[in-house]
């Protein structure tokens, strides 16, 4: 059983103007994600959802000023970015970056080697990647293309879930994985996430604006994020309320507070 525990997390974000004061985005986040659980974080634009994902992953632009993040009791904030990945944390980014000159196949095998501690045997690796790409309906020719270069939004998201399948993390943080996906791509990507959870008993932190992905990936818990903190948590029924009524009840309460 793996547990990611976040307590009283406060995070500042550096502005593009180096002279400007950092902006305080997260203002005391408490959240616990365990193996086999799917947590959906929902909230309006600018509420701090993506900031939470980058802070967990260790993005240098995001400064933790207060609070703790632990993985099975180990201090995540003391780990470098690569140490966090080797410890079992995975981030599927909202806007995956392009890496010109590095083929997908080389990138994936290098990443798997770093996470697993040894290079996968080539024959097994070829079979493993072929099966994973087929399940995600990825053309095998993509293996020789540069990482994400010239990929459509849907192709980039499938590549993120391909990494999830092959790296087998303990906790997966999916930052708006549904954005920019058509109906078919959303189905394929969601099935990939569900396969990961079933095979690895992984914990999932799913960040989204919309409930449509929750029709495919069933959450155990739904958290509403407003103004840098979790303002309400409940079961899947909370997503139904958000679908019907939006975030007005929560944003109005935050303003009144």
């Amino acid at each position: 059983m793996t547990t990611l525990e976040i307590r009283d997390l406060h995070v500042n974000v550096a502005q593009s103007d180096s002279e400007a004061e950092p902006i305080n985005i997260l203002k005391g986040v408490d959240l616990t994600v365990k193996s086999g659980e799917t947590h959906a974080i929902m909230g309006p634009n600018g509420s701090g959802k993506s900031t939470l994902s980058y802070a967990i992953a260790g993005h240098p632009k995001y400064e933790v000023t207060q609070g703790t993040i632990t993985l099975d009791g180990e201090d995540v904030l003391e780990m470098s970015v690569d140490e966090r990945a080797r410890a079992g944390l995975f981030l599927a980014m909202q806007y995956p970056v392009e890496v010109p000159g590095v083929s997908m196949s080389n990138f994936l095998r290098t990443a798997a080697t770093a996470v697993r501690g040894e290079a996968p045997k080539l024959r097994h690796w070829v079979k493993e990647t072929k099966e994973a790409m087929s399940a995600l309906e990825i053309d095998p020719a993509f293996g020789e293309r540069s990482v994400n270069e010239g990929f459509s939004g849907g192709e980039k998201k499938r590549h993120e879930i391909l990494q999830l399948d092959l790296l087998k993390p303990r906790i997966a943080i999916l930052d708006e994985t549904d954005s920019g996906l058509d109906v078919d791509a959303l189905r394929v990507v969601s099935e990939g996430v569900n396969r990961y959870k079933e095979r690895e008993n992984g914990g999932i932190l799913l960040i989204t604006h919309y409930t449509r992905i929750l029709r495919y990936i069933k959450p155990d818990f739904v958290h509403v994020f407003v103004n840098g903190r979790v303002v309400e948590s409940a079961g899947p029924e909370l997503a139904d309320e958000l679908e019907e009524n939006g975030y007005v009840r929560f944003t109005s309460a935050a303003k009144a507070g």
Side-chain angles (χ1 to χ4, degrees):
M1 175 69 73
T2 293
T3 301
L4 175 68
E5 193 159 18
I6 300 164
R7 288 289 170 265
D8 192 30
L9 189 68
H10 294 247
V11 173
N12 287 350
V13 180
Q15 298 191 61
S16 53
D17 179 359
S18 58
E19 300 294 319
E21 286 292 315
I23 303 172
N24 179 221
I25 302 293
L26 299 189
K27 303 169 184 177
V29 175
D30 292 303
L31 193 64
T32 301
V33 180
K34 297 181 179 179
S35 296
E37 295 179 349
T38 298
H39 292 250
I41 291 189
M42 306 185 68
N45 283 327
S47 57
K49 303 184 301 298
S50 292
T51 295
L52 175 63
S53 68
Y54 286 126
I56 296 170
H59 194 299
K61 183 180 172 184
Y62 297 80
E63 179 194 5
V64 175
T65 58
Q66 185 175 317
T68 60
I69 304 174
T70 59
L71 185 68
D72 291 338
E74 295 292 321
D75 188 353
V76 170
L77 299 178
E78 289 296 316
M79 300 178 188
S80 62
V81 173
D82 59 308
E83 286 171 341
R84 297 181 198 206
R86 286 198 296 271
L89 293 175
F90 174 89
L91 171 62
M93 294 183 287
Q94 182 179 357
Y95 303 109
V97 296
E98 296 184 3
V99 188
V102 177
S103 72
M104 261 183 59
S105 58
N106 284 341
F107 170 79
L108 290 168
R109 192 158 190 256
T110 300
T113 299
V115 167
R116 299 179 187 184
E118 61 180 6
K121 289 186 168 52
L122 193 56
R123 183 174 35 163
H124 295 154
W125 176 250
V126 169
K127 182 174 183 288
E128 191 178 353
T129 54
K130 185 178 179 181
E131 289 176 352
M133 291 176 78
S134 175
L136 288 163
E137 300 179 17
I138 297 173
D139 187 330
F142 272 68
E144 300 314 310
R145 291 178 59 178
S146 292
V147 175
N148 290 325
E149 190 172 34
F151 287 22
S152 70
E155 288 165 348
K156 288 180 179 180
K157 296 303 176 71
R158 290 183 200 219
H159 183 216
E160 294 282 284
I161 303 307
L162 177 62
Q163 294 174 54
L164 175 67
D165 189 321
L166 295 171
L167 299 181
K168 301 174 174 46
R170 294 153 72 188
I171 301 288
I173 303 151
L174 310 178
D175 186 12
E176 298 198 28
T177 296
D178 52 337
S179 66
L181 297 184
D182 61 29
V183 173
D184 291 329
L186 179 64
R187 172 187 54 79
V188 171
V189 163
S190 298
E191 288 172 354
V193 174
N194 290 331
R195 275 194 303 275
Y196 154 75
K197 180 180 178 180
E198 183 178 342
R199 291 176 182 173
E200 307 301 326
N201 193 35
I204 297 172
L205 187 58
L206 176 64
I207 295 168
T208 182
H209 282 298
Y210 308 108
T211 58
R212 66 174 191 154
I213 194 171
L214 302 184
R215 297 171 196 153
Y216 299 91
I217 301 172
K218 301 299 184 184
D220 302 295
F221 306 95
V222 175
H223 311 277
V224 180
F225 222 71
V226 174
N227 195 26
R229 57 170 60 93
V230 176
V231 296
E232 184 148 342
S233 298
E237 70 280 357
L238 182 53
D240 296 333
E241 180 191 339
L242 295 173
E243 172 77 4
E244 187 170 343
N245 302 317
Y247 299 109
V248 174
R249 173 165 76 87
F250 304 102
T251 54
S252 298
K255 287 177 183 176

